[in-house]
Amino acid sequence: MPCFDMVVVGSGGGPDETNLSAYLIKPFHANWGDGIVALEAGSGMGALTQILKHTPDLFTSRLQDCNSAPGYSASAIYSFIRCFLITHAHLDHVNSLIISAGSLGGSRKRIFATEQTLHDLETVFADRIWPNLASWKEDDDSFRYLYTSLLTDDQYRNVATDISVRTMPISHGHNDTSGVYDSAAFFVRHDPSTREFLFFGDVSPDTLSPKPRTVNVWRAAAAKIPLTLSTIFIECSWPSGRADDLLYGHLSPIHLADELTVLATEVAMARKFVVKDLRNESGPTRKKSKSNPLSPESLYGALDGVRVFVIHCKDGHEVTYDRSINHIIADQVRALVAAKRLGADILAADQGMRIGASMILMHSI
Ligand SMILES: [Zn+2]
Ligand SMILES: [Zn+2]
């Protein structure tokens, strides 16, 4: 059985403002009305209203109320949100959180993010660009949002019933004024089962970054794959052929395939050392290694049972494609990963999709 239910409100990376990063999740066995976690908030109620015109039963529970559930409106669904989880404060990730701040129904909502990201949001909620509708105080009920910092330690923080999150910093480009720009990766855990999925905010290739930190995320994920972690959401903003100096802090297929190779290496090493440790009565012997001591053949099938959803694809290219850009890019990533025989299943996340996340055999819906 899956552990999470997810609805993709938007999976693009711009410039189409009707399809920007926004995912709604709940524990699989809960009802949407029991509370929703909004993972990113690029697109929002407007996009969901359009989606529901085509699939009015998108939020009908497959378990409790197959035939009897009302078709929820977008505003009803957004009133169920208990908290937002935000990887970084770029507009394509927070647009709807800002626009709808004064009109969301339901209880006061927390915004979980790193302190830097929350400070970035404060510059918007400062009575100039937008009214101040958020505060840091627990008892400020007149403010619709409650800023809540996530630490980038190795702890899981409970963010909603049965859902906890571990936050890791990653690099998302850099500029002359502020240096490396931080984004975040979230390990989202279903507490009762301890299963989790991994969700990346925008991220640079480690091979090009002055501060390569994605490897830390792969290292933290490796030992969990695939039994407790089998679903990864990661950006691939550009199609193949994009020059490295025009990535602007994002991945292209060749770089995503390289990143997945690093993950496969970490998985293979974790398994190798588990076997070694079992044979070695004196206990664990693994030392941190900077280089890859493994041959390409030893990575074959290392990511069997892992689903990788490609997200944040940018549209609006000069080249005209016969299909949507996220499918073009997913195909390109899939071919590269297949050539390396890593074993991962590469999928495109589509707007309006409902996904049962965090299980090996669940298919996207
Ligand atoms: Zn960004
Ligand atoms: Zn973005």
Side-chain angles (χ1 to χ4, degrees), residues 20-21 41-43 88-99 121 124 129 181 202:
L20 299 173
S21 296
S43 290
H88 64 299
H90 278 163
L91 273 177
D92 55 319
H93 299 254
V94 299
N95 177 58
S96 78
L97 176 150
I98 296 163
I99 292 287
L121 275 173
V124 178
I129 298 172
Y181 184 91
D202 298 354

Short mmCIF file of all heavy atoms in Angstrom, two decimals, residues 20-21 41-43 88-99 121 124 129 181 202:
data_model
loop_
_atom_site.label_atom_id
_atom_site.label_comp_id
_atom_site.label_asym_id
_atom_site.label_seq_id
_atom_site.Cartn_x
_atom_site.Cartn_y
_atom_site.Cartn_z
N LEU A 20 3.05 26.15 -12.31
CA LEU A 20 4.27 26.32 -11.52
C LEU A 20 4.27 25.35 -10.34
O LEU A 20 3.21 24.94 -9.85
CB LEU A 20 4.37 27.76 -11.00
CG LEU A 20 4.44 28.86 -12.06
CD1 LEU A 20 4.36 30.24 -11.41
CD2 LEU A 20 5.70 28.73 -12.91
N SER A 21 5.45 25.02 -9.84
CA SER A 21 5.63 24.02 -8.78
C SER A 21 4.61 24.12 -7.65
O SER A 21 4.59 25.13 -6.92
CB SER A 21 7.03 24.15 -8.15
OG SER A 21 8.02 23.87 -9.10
N ALA A 41 4.35 26.34 -3.59
CA ALA A 41 3.10 27.08 -3.81
C ALA A 41 3.25 28.05 -4.98
O ALA A 41 2.95 29.22 -4.87
CB ALA A 41 2.71 27.81 -2.53
N GLY A 42 3.71 27.53 -6.10
CA GLY A 42 3.81 28.35 -7.31
C GLY A 42 2.44 28.64 -7.87
O GLY A 42 1.89 29.72 -7.73
N SER A 43 1.84 27.64 -8.51
CA SER A 43 0.43 27.76 -8.91
C SER A 43 -0.45 27.41 -7.72
O SER A 43 0.00 26.81 -6.75
CB SER A 43 0.14 26.81 -10.08
OG SER A 43 0.78 27.28 -11.25
N HIS A 88 12.51 27.25 -1.40
CA HIS A 88 13.18 28.54 -1.52
C HIS A 88 12.15 29.55 -2.00
O HIS A 88 11.06 29.17 -2.47
CB HIS A 88 14.39 28.48 -2.44
CG HIS A 88 14.10 28.17 -3.87
ND1 HIS A 88 13.50 26.99 -4.28
CD2 HIS A 88 14.31 28.89 -5.01
CE1 HIS A 88 13.37 26.99 -5.59
NE2 HIS A 88 13.83 28.14 -6.07
N ALA A 89 12.48 30.84 -1.90
CA ALA A 89 11.44 31.86 -2.07
C ALA A 89 11.36 32.45 -3.48
O ALA A 89 10.76 33.50 -3.67
CB ALA A 89 11.64 32.98 -1.05
N HIS A 90 11.93 31.77 -4.47
CA HIS A 90 11.74 32.26 -5.83
C HIS A 90 10.24 32.26 -6.17
O HIS A 90 9.50 31.38 -5.73
CB HIS A 90 12.50 31.38 -6.83
CG HIS A 90 13.97 31.74 -6.92
ND1 HIS A 90 14.92 30.90 -7.46
CD2 HIS A 90 14.63 32.87 -6.54
CE1 HIS A 90 16.10 31.50 -7.41
NE2 HIS A 90 15.95 32.67 -6.85
N LEU A 91 9.85 33.24 -6.99
CA LEU A 91 8.42 33.46 -7.22
C LEU A 91 7.69 32.24 -7.78
O LEU A 91 6.52 32.02 -7.48
CB LEU A 91 8.22 34.64 -8.18
CG LEU A 91 8.16 36.02 -7.52
CD1 LEU A 91 8.04 37.09 -8.59
CD2 LEU A 91 6.99 36.11 -6.55
N ASP A 92 8.38 31.46 -8.61
CA ASP A 92 7.69 30.30 -9.19
C ASP A 92 7.40 29.21 -8.16
O ASP A 92 6.74 28.22 -8.46
CB ASP A 92 8.47 29.73 -10.39
CG ASP A 92 9.91 29.38 -10.06
OD1 ASP A 92 10.56 30.16 -9.34
OD2 ASP A 92 10.39 28.33 -10.54
N HIS A 93 7.85 29.43 -6.90
CA HIS A 93 7.57 28.47 -5.82
C HIS A 93 6.67 29.04 -4.73
O HIS A 93 6.22 28.30 -3.86
CB HIS A 93 8.89 27.98 -5.21
CG HIS A 93 9.76 27.28 -6.21
ND1 HIS A 93 9.95 25.92 -6.22
CD2 HIS A 93 10.43 27.77 -7.28
CE1 HIS A 93 10.72 25.60 -7.26
NE2 HIS A 93 11.03 26.71 -7.91
N VAL A 94 6.42 30.35 -4.78
CA VAL A 94 5.63 30.97 -3.71
C VAL A 94 4.52 31.88 -4.23
O VAL A 94 3.79 32.49 -3.45
CB VAL A 94 6.52 31.78 -2.73
CG1 VAL A 94 7.55 30.86 -2.06
CG2 VAL A 94 7.22 32.94 -3.43
N ASN A 95 4.38 31.96 -5.54
CA ASN A 95 3.43 32.91 -6.13
C ASN A 95 2.02 32.79 -5.54
O ASN A 95 1.46 33.79 -5.08
CB ASN A 95 3.39 32.66 -7.64
CG ASN A 95 2.38 33.53 -8.34
OD1 ASN A 95 2.45 34.74 -8.24
ND2 ASN A 95 1.42 32.92 -9.01
N SER A 96 1.47 31.59 -5.49
CA SER A 96 0.08 31.47 -5.04
C SER A 96 -0.04 31.66 -3.53
O SER A 96 -1.07 32.13 -3.03
CB SER A 96 -0.52 30.13 -5.46
OG SER A 96 -0.09 29.10 -4.62
N LEU A 97 1.01 31.32 -2.80
CA LEU A 97 1.00 31.53 -1.34
C LEU A 97 0.85 33.02 -1.05
O LEU A 97 0.15 33.41 -0.11
CB LEU A 97 2.31 30.98 -0.78
CG LEU A 97 2.67 31.12 0.68
CD1 LEU A 97 3.54 29.96 1.11
CD2 LEU A 97 3.41 32.41 0.95
N ILE A 98 1.48 33.85 -1.88
CA ILE A 98 1.39 35.30 -1.68
C ILE A 98 0.03 35.82 -2.15
O ILE A 98 -0.70 36.48 -1.40
CB ILE A 98 2.53 36.01 -2.46
CG1 ILE A 98 3.89 35.60 -1.89
CG2 ILE A 98 2.35 37.52 -2.42
CD1 ILE A 98 5.07 35.90 -2.79
N ILE A 99 -0.33 35.48 -3.38
CA ILE A 99 -1.56 36.01 -3.98
C ILE A 99 -2.79 35.65 -3.15
O ILE A 99 -3.70 36.45 -2.99
CB ILE A 99 -1.72 35.46 -5.42
CG1 ILE A 99 -0.64 36.02 -6.34
CG2 ILE A 99 -3.12 35.75 -5.97
CD1 ILE A 99 -0.82 37.47 -6.71
N LEU A 121 10.75 35.82 2.29
CA LEU A 121 9.29 36.02 2.17
C LEU A 121 8.85 37.28 2.92
O LEU A 121 7.93 37.99 2.48
CB LEU A 121 8.54 34.81 2.73
CG LEU A 121 8.32 33.65 1.77
CD1 LEU A 121 7.71 32.47 2.51
CD2 LEU A 121 7.41 34.08 0.61
N VAL A 124 8.53 40.38 1.01
CA VAL A 124 7.32 40.52 0.19
C VAL A 124 6.14 40.92 1.07
O VAL A 124 5.37 41.84 0.75
CB VAL A 124 7.01 39.20 -0.55
CG1 VAL A 124 5.73 39.34 -1.38
CG2 VAL A 124 8.18 38.80 -1.45
N ILE A 129 5.05 45.43 -1.44
CA ILE A 129 4.73 44.53 -2.56
C ILE A 129 3.39 43.84 -2.27
O ILE A 129 2.57 43.65 -3.15
CB ILE A 129 5.84 43.47 -2.74
CG1 ILE A 129 7.15 44.17 -3.09
CG2 ILE A 129 5.47 42.45 -3.83
CD1 ILE A 129 8.36 43.24 -3.11
N TYR A 181 23.31 30.65 -3.79
CA TYR A 181 21.91 30.78 -3.38
C TYR A 181 21.44 29.42 -2.86
O TYR A 181 21.56 28.41 -3.55
CB TYR A 181 21.07 31.22 -4.59
CG TYR A 181 19.63 31.48 -4.26
CD1 TYR A 181 19.19 32.75 -3.89
CD2 TYR A 181 18.69 30.45 -4.30
CE1 TYR A 181 17.86 32.99 -3.58
CE2 TYR A 181 17.35 30.67 -3.99
CZ TYR A 181 16.95 31.95 -3.64
OH TYR A 181 15.63 32.18 -3.33
N ASP A 202 14.85 23.61 -6.51
CA ASP A 202 15.74 23.85 -7.64
C ASP A 202 17.19 23.61 -7.21
O ASP A 202 17.58 23.95 -6.09
CB ASP A 202 15.58 25.28 -8.14
CG ASP A 202 14.17 25.55 -8.64
OD1 ASP A 202 13.37 24.60 -8.70
OD2 ASP A 202 13.87 26.71 -8.97
#
